[in-house]
Amino acid sequence: MSEAKSESTESFSETTPPAEPSKQSVLRRYYPAAVPVVLGLIIYFMPVPDGVDPKGMHMLGIFVGTIVALILQPLPTGSVALVGLSIAMITQTETPTEALSGFSNTTIWLIVASFFIAEGFLVTGLGKRVALMFVTKLGKSSLGLSYGMALTDLILAPATPSNTARAGGVVYPIIVSLSKLEDSNPEPEDSRKKLGAYLLLTSLQVNVVTSAMFITAMAGNPVAVDAAAKIGIDISWGKWALAASVPGIASLIAIPWVMSKIFPPTMLKTPKAPEQAREELRKAGPISRNEKIMAATFVLLLVLWCLGSQLNVNATTTAFVGIGILLVTKVLTWNNLVHDTGAWQTLVFFAVLVGMASHLEELGVISWIGTQVSSSVDGLPWIWAFAILTLVYFYAHYLFASNTAQIVAMYAVFLGAAVATGAPPLFSALVFGFIGSLFGGISHYASGPAGVIYGSGYIKTSEWFRIGFVMSVVIILIWTIIGGAWMKLIGAW
């Protein structure tokens, strides 16, 4: 019997050979890995420009290859970073000390610490409670719901550097729940447009604004601050928040209304939403001990971050004080910190890239690239040169799938170029810092929150690009006109 089965199998294998993979499938499989390698090698062996250390192009090739791999994702983010790190060391482009220097960067540890603090909002349920409270007050209409979610995002933003956690962990589940309560589902067409598509796409545009309003509201912001500091531009937590406050609030007022005009829901009234929110709050019970401690700790952090320069308390120190309070009071446990994979992946990812970027600066590569970029707008009045540079920086994000990847790759270069044209240094640093968050809504792959919302199925790809572009114009106008006037008033330029 077994022989017969064997013969049958052999006969089958002879007559039906396994299908060879098509050329297209092979290309799809190897393209994400091949492109970074090829680009990296081309740059690695390029002639060394004047003023650049001989190792400069080697470091630039490894850096660009790593960035492109982070975009194409042949491996997970942390794996890509570690592969880039190992290549830099084995080629002796970086010494182990230089390669690992990013792990001692206090700015990166501020980001990691803020991830842990954000975990407190999730595990205590305080973030969800805040959102539900706004729904009970503002949730009688689709426009009111969108403003309620905007206020929730704004309140959580200062202590939540993971804009994905804020959008995906707190706001997104509530929007989906409310949408389904009103019979608005991803399919059919009439159902998704009833409420869900509007609320979700609006929440993304709101998220990019709240991410731009505080240094600690998006993981890439502290990296921009650190890069600015290296060329002598000091931006404190309070200085950033003050500069962003007026254009940020103006944007949060405008976005839900503008979205209701260009991408309107078919359901304007949502009478069931406030009652559902009240029911959820009843189930949650009175505010718990842990929620009270979390709220008090959050207020303390805001005070210390705002007054840090006067009290001589570093922002990273403040964040770790908050973690210490949450651990001592057992609001958070060590297991909460250990299992926060987003925080540890961010540590590896940023530490490696910041170490590479710092080494590029030491080797003279950043100043050389900045000279090339600034020469492209040479001869123009600084205001026009600045406008061109900011627009290029903004819309170059169509090529990136991560806010932070573009900030690490391009922020220092464009800031240096802007300052070289005569643009006010502090103003330039702040504007490019804000843009690092504001471009996160132009496509369905532009940021982490965009990916979460795209996965819901409520929004078509064509709508992403159309609405994303229109809203980018709206946001640019608000931050240029209102933001520019406000920063002039407070002396930023």
Side-chain angles (χ1 to χ4, degrees):
M1 181 73 175
S2 61
E3 288 178 6
K5 188 181 289 186
S6 176
E7 288 174 6
S8 172
T9 304
E10 288 173 9
S11 173
F12 181 79
S13 65
E14 287 174 7
T15 57
T16 314
E20 292 185 8
S22 67
K23 288 183 179 180
Q24 284 186 338
S25 65
V26 171
L27 284 173
R28 278 197 300 268
R29 183 183 303 174
Y30 294 108
Y31 170 81
V35 171
V37 171
V38 171
L39 280 176
L41 287 172
I42 290 171
I43 297 171
Y44 190 96
F45 290 108
M46 280 177 64
V48 181
D50 292 338
V52 175
D53 187 280
K55 287 185 178 179
M57 300 315 288
H58 296 174
M59 188 70 256
L60 183 61
I62 295 168
F63 181 73
V64 170
T66 304
I67 291 292
V68 174
L70 288 168
I71 296 170
L72 298 179
Q73 293 279 290
L75 294 171
T77 298
S79 301
V80 168
L82 289 177
V83 169
L85 179 76
S86 65
I87 293 171
M89 289 192 290
I90 195 64
T91 59
Q92 298 185 12
T93 304
E94 285 185 303
T95 65
T97 301
E98 290 167 338
L100 298 171
S101 63
F103 287 90
S104 63
N105 187 295
T106 57
T107 300
I108 293 168
W109 281 102
L110 169 62
I111 299 168
V112 174
S114 298
F115 265 88
F116 295 148
I117 294 165
E119 184 75 9
F121 280 99
L122 296 177
V123 299
T124 62
L126 180 61
K128 182 178 179 181
R129 184 182 293 273
V130 170
L132 291 172
M133 289 171 64
F134 282 126
V135 173
T136 63
K137 304 296 183 184
L138 302 171
K140 292 182 180 179
S141 67
S142 55
L143 189 60
L145 282 173
S146 64
Y147 279 116
M149 295 300 99
L151 286 170
T152 301
D153 202 322
L154 177 62
I155 288 173
L156 298 180
T160 316
S162 172
N163 51 347
T164 307
R166 196 165 70 246
V170 178
V171 176
Y172 173 81
I174 293 173
I175 288 178
V176 171
S177 175
L178 291 170
S179 298
K180 291 184 176 179
L181 176 71
E182 301 293 349
D183 197 28
S184 178
N185 299 294
E187 292 181 349
E189 181 79 359
D190 291 345
S191 181
R192 74 178 185 88
K193 284 193 168 182
K194 194 174 183 181
L195 183 64
Y198 163 75
L199 287 180
L200 286 170
L201 207 48
T202 302
S203 73
L204 174 64
Q205 299 300 330
V206 163
N207 183 267
V208 303
V209 171
T210 58
S211 297
M213 291 179 70
F214 309 96
I215 289 177
T216 45
M218 201 278 287
N221 294 346
V223 176
V225 170
D226 192 50
K230 288 178 179 176
I231 60 173
I233 305 171
D234 176 58
I235 308 175
S236 67
W237 193 93
K239 195 180 291 183
W240 179 300
L242 177 64
S245 60
V246 171
I249 291 170
S251 298
L252 295 179
I253 292 171
I255 285 171
W257 181 82
V258 172
M259 286 291 291
S260 73
K261 301 302 178 184
I262 65 174
F263 193 62
T266 57
M267 172 177 273
L268 300 179
K269 301 296 181 182
T270 54
K272 299 178 186 176
E275 185 52 42
Q276 188 202 29
R278 291 188 193 96
E279 181 59 30
E280 290 291 325
L281 286 171
R282 280 194 288 270
K283 289 179 184 177
I287 187 167
S288 66
R289 165 192 173 274
N290 284 358
E291 287 177 279
K292 290 176 182 176
I293 294 172
M294 185 67 235
T297 303
F298 178 54
V299 172
L300 174 64
L301 291 173
L302 290 181
V303 171
L304 290 177
W305 274 328
C306 288
L307 302 178
S309 56
Q310 290 90 335
L311 299 175
N312 197 27
V313 179
N314 181 271
T316 306
T317 303
T318 295
F320 274 94
V321 167
I323 293 171
I325 293 170
L326 297 177
L327 287 171
V328 168
T329 56
K330 298 186 178 180
V331 172
L332 288 177
T333 67
W334 178 244
N335 278 339
N336 291 134
L337 273 56
V338 169
H339 291 102
D340 191 342
T341 55
W344 298 116
Q345 176 168 276
T346 299
L347 170 64
V348 172
F349 162 55
F350 273 130
V352 171
L353 291 185
V354 168
M356 287 183 179
S358 297
H359 198 44
L360 282 171
E361 190 171 355
E362 292 166 5
L363 296 171
V365 176
I366 297 297
S367 60
W368 170 72
I369 296 174
T371 301
Q372 304 306 307
V373 173
S374 60
S375 66
S376 66
V377 290
D378 192 33
L380 292 175
W382 79 261
I383 193 74
W384 290 109
F386 186 74
I388 293 169
L389 290 171
T390 52
L391 286 172
V392 170
Y393 186 69
F394 194 109
Y395 289 109
H397 195 62
Y398 279 116
L399 304 175
F400 286 84
S402 163
N403 300 59
T404 51
Q406 181 171 340
I407 291 168
V408 171
M410 300 176 69
Y411 176 85
V413 171
F414 274 74
L415 174 58
V419 173
T421 66
L426 177 59
F427 176 71
S428 302
L430 286 168
V431 170
F432 282 110
F434 300 153
I435 292 172
S437 293
L438 295 175
F439 53 36
I442 60 175
S443 69
H444 60 295
Y445 56 83
S447 61
V452 171
I453 293 169
Y454 178 68
S456 70
Y458 275 91
I459 301 146
K460 293 181 177 180
T461 304
S462 59
E463 292 169 340
W464 275 99
F465 285 97
R466 177 172 59 85
I467 302 301
F469 178 76
V470 172
M471 290 308 299
S472 74
V473 173
V474 172
I475 288 171
I476 287 170
L477 288 173
I478 291 173
W479 285 73
T480 299
I481 298 170
I482 297 177
W486 169 244
M487 283 190 273
K488 179 71 172 177
L489 183 64
I490 63 175
W493 64 288

